[in-house]
């Protein structure tokens, strides 16, 4: 054999004996799935939800929902735990329900009463002094309406037509006398009554408050009447306005139209609901032939109407009226140091019914160093003598004529 072919044959043998190079050829058979995963897939296939459920749950991770049997067992366990907790809680027996009702109906109102009582403004109006009258039959209140503008803004002064006068004077002086028997009495003391004021001499009675405050006015009234004053209440312009608005206004019937620019008053004749500003104008106006003597008649009639309105069921049973009334009363009223909210409530109940209203009789007009005044005479003395003895007043000493309120 030639040498070249022999070499080729040898090379061919060598090539044939060398293994062929490996090429990338992935297997097409699926990988084996563990047996537990195959069983889970089979279970899902048998419980496959419908198309709607597929749409609702598409894109959401699967939830581990308990089987029907396990859900029932969980619900039963929860009910059992709830019953066990309920057994441990104390049961409300009838006595317990009674105590709860007592808390709501009694304890809470009493707590509110003391809270609002603490909000009242107080002043030492009834001071002890030498020669002060001893206790007299019944109960006597000194009620004062002042022309104080101290707490009013300029807008309020303009709206209420109060002007800008400085200082504080008594625009109204009343005695509420609750005798031991018979009807309650509301008595007006004319502001121009010329009397003796301790430490000042003879002056109009309203000068006592202007120069000596509530204490000097109370002492002056006590020495004039011989009555011992048991309680004191005072209200100013702004407080009066707020109090009337708090009860939703007061209905008054007028027998004539009233026009008084000085008091900001413009009212028609007939029955109408007065708001705070209108009511303040009514009790302030002196646009009458007898000026202050007719004004005090309107004041008394309005006060009894206000008491009746404030203590009516439409106010007391309506929280939207009751709480504004309490806030208005505590913010507007100034009382004596020993006076409380329950005293005011008793006064209101006493005056809302059939009340005797009158003006202290006088000796008529006189000219004094203070200008036009009203003198005292024997009728003034007799009037207070009946009250001190606790006896009914004779008709000839009663005067309730005039005014514009029918």
């Amino acid at each position: 054999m030639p040498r070249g072919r022999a070499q080729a044959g040898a090379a061919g043998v060598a090539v044939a004996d060398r293994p062929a190079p490996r090429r990338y050829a992935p297997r097409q058979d699926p990988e084996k799935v563990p047996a537990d995963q195959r069983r889970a897939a089979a279970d899902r296939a048998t419980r496959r939800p419908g198309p709607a459920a597929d749409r609702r749950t598409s894109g959401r991770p699967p939830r581990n929902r308990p089987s029907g049997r396990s859900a029932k067992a969980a619900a039963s366990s929860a009910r059992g735990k709830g019953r066990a907790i309920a057994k441990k809680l104390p049961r409300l027996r009838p006595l317990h329900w009674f105590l709860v009702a007592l808390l709501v109906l009694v304890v809470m109102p009493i707590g509110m009463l003391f809270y609002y009582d603490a909000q009242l403004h107080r002043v030492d109006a009834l001071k002890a002094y030498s020669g002060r009258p001893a206790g007299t039959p019944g109960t006597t209140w000194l009620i004062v309406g002042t022309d104080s503008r101290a707490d009013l803004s300029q807008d309020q002064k303009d709206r209420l037509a109060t002007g800008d006068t400085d200082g504080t004077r008594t625009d109204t002086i009343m005695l509420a006398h609750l005798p031991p028997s018979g009807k309650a009495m509301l008595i007006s003391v004319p502001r121009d009554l010329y009397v003796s004021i301790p430490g000042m001499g003879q002056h109009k009675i309203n000068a006592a408050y202007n120069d000596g405050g509530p204490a000097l006015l109370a002492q002056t009234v006590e020495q004039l009447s011989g009555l011992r004053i048991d309680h004191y209440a005072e209200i100013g312009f702004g407080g009066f306005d707020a109090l009337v608005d708090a009860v939703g206004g007061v209905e008054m019937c007028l027998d004539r139209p009233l026009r008084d620019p000085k008091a900001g008053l413009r009212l028609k004749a007939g029955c109408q609901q007065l708001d705070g500003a209108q009511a303040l104008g009514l009790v302030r106006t002196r646009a009458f032939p007898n000026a202050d003597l007719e004004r005090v008649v309107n004041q008394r009639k309005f006060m009894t109407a206000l008491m009746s309105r404030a203590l009516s069921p439409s106010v007391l049973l309506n929280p939207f009226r009751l709480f504004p009334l309490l806030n208005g009363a505590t913010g507007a009223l100034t009382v004596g140091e020993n006076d409380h909210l329950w005293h005011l409530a008793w006064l209101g109940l006493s005056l809302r019914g059939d009340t005797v209203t009158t003006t202290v009789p006088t000796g008529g007009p006189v000219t004094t160093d203070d200008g036009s005044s009203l003198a005292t005479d024997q009728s003034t003395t007799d009037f207070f003598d009946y009250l001190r003895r606790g006896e009914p007043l004779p008709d000839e000493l009663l005067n309730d004529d005039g005014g514009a309120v029918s």
Side-chain angles (χ1 to χ4, degrees), residues 286-303:
R286 291 191 287 176
F288 305 106
N290 287 327
D292 191 57
L293 291 179
E294 292 196 62
R295 176 175 68 163
V296 295
V297 178
N298 294 334
Q299 290 174 346
R300 292 194 301 268
K301 291 182 178 180
F302 184 85
M303 184 170 180

Side-chain angles (χ1 to χ4, degrees), residues 1-185:
M1 176 180 299
R3 185 177 177 182
R5 181 178 297 179
Q7 291 176 350
V13 172
V15 170
D17 293 341
R18 187 186 307 161
R22 297 182 63 182
R23 291 180 301 171
Y24 174 71
R27 297 178 60 181
Q28 301 300 315
D29 296 335
E31 296 182 5
K32 294 183 179 181
V33 179
D36 55 345
Q37 293 186 17
R38 288 200 301 273
R39 284 194 298 271
D43 290 341
R44 285 195 300 271
T46 57
R47 295 196 305 269
R48 182 174 182 80
D54 286 344
R55 287 194 298 272
R56 289 195 301 269
T57 59
S58 61
R60 297 182 184 177
R63 297 179 180 177
N64 296 324
R65 294 189 177 92
S67 64
R69 182 177 300 175
S70 61
K72 290 180 181 180
S76 176
S77 175
R79 286 194 297 270
K81 291 179 179 179
R83 286 193 293 267
I85 294 173
K87 288 180 180 180
K88 293 180 180 179
L89 293 175
R91 291 186 178 182
L92 288 180
R93 298 178 180 178
L95 177 59
H96 297 156
W97 285 113
F98 172 76
L99 293 176
V100 171
L102 185 67
L103 175 67
V104 173
L105 298 177
V106 179
V107 177
M108 288 181 63
I110 291 177
M112 288 173 51
L113 180 66
F114 279 98
Y115 168 77
Y116 281 105
D117 179 68
Q119 309 307 309
L120 285 169
H121 305 288
R122 290 184 164 83
V123 63
D124 188 10
L126 307 178
K127 296 181 178 180
Y129 58 88
S130 177
R132 188 181 183 193
T136 47
T139 302
T140 303
W141 282 78
L142 175 59
I143 302 172
V144 177
T146 72
D147 62 0
S148 173
R149 301 158 175 84
D151 296 330
L152 297 179
S153 66
Q154 189 58 50
D155 289 342
Q156 289 174 311
K157 292 177 183 179
D158 296 339
R159 182 174 62 86
L160 300 176
T162 63
D164 295 310
T165 305
D166 294 329
T168 303
R169 286 153 292 277
T170 49
D171 219 42
T172 302
I173 304 173
M174 290 185 186
L175 291 173
H177 184 64
L178 313 179
S181 61
K183 300 177 181 179
M185 301 184 66

Side-chain angles (χ1 to χ4, degrees), residues 269-357:
C271 296
Q272 54 207 289
Q273 195 85 359
L274 304 185
D275 62 20
Q278 293 170 324
L280 181 60
L282 174 64
V283 300
R284 286 182 59 208
T285 182
R286 291 191 287 176
F288 305 106
N290 287 327
D292 191 57
L293 291 179
E294 292 196 62
R295 176 175 68 163
V296 295
V297 178
N298 294 334
Q299 290 174 346
R300 292 194 301 268
K301 291 182 178 180
F302 184 85
M303 184 170 180
T304 56
L306 175 61
M307 294 293 184
S308 181
R309 169 66 176 165
L311 297 174
S312 65
S314 61
V315 172
L316 295 181
L317 300 180
N318 182 355
F320 297 102
R321 292 294 182 202
L322 176 60
F323 288 107
L325 170 63
L326 291 172
N327 289 323
T330 55
L333 292 172
T334 297
V335 296
E337 284 191 336
N338 297 318
D339 295 323
H340 297 281
L341 200 59
W342 45 91
H343 294 135
L344 291 169
W346 179 249
L347 173 66
L349 289 170
S350 301
L351 296 180
R352 66 188 295 267
D354 188 9
T355 304
V356 176
T357 61

Side-chain angles (χ1 to χ4, degrees), residues 222-262:
E222 283 186 333
Q223 293 192 349
L224 168 68
S225 65
L227 295 168
R228 186 182 183 93
I229 296 174
D230 304 292
H231 302 281
Y232 177 84
E234 174 189 319
I235 189 169
F237 277 172
F240 182 88
D241 162 60
L243 193 58
V244 173
D245 285 337
V247 299
V250 177
E251 185 179 33
M252 300 299 292
C253 295
L254 306 179
D255 58 15
R256 74 191 82 167
L258 293 178
R259 304 285 187 273
D260 185 1
K262 293 181 179 180

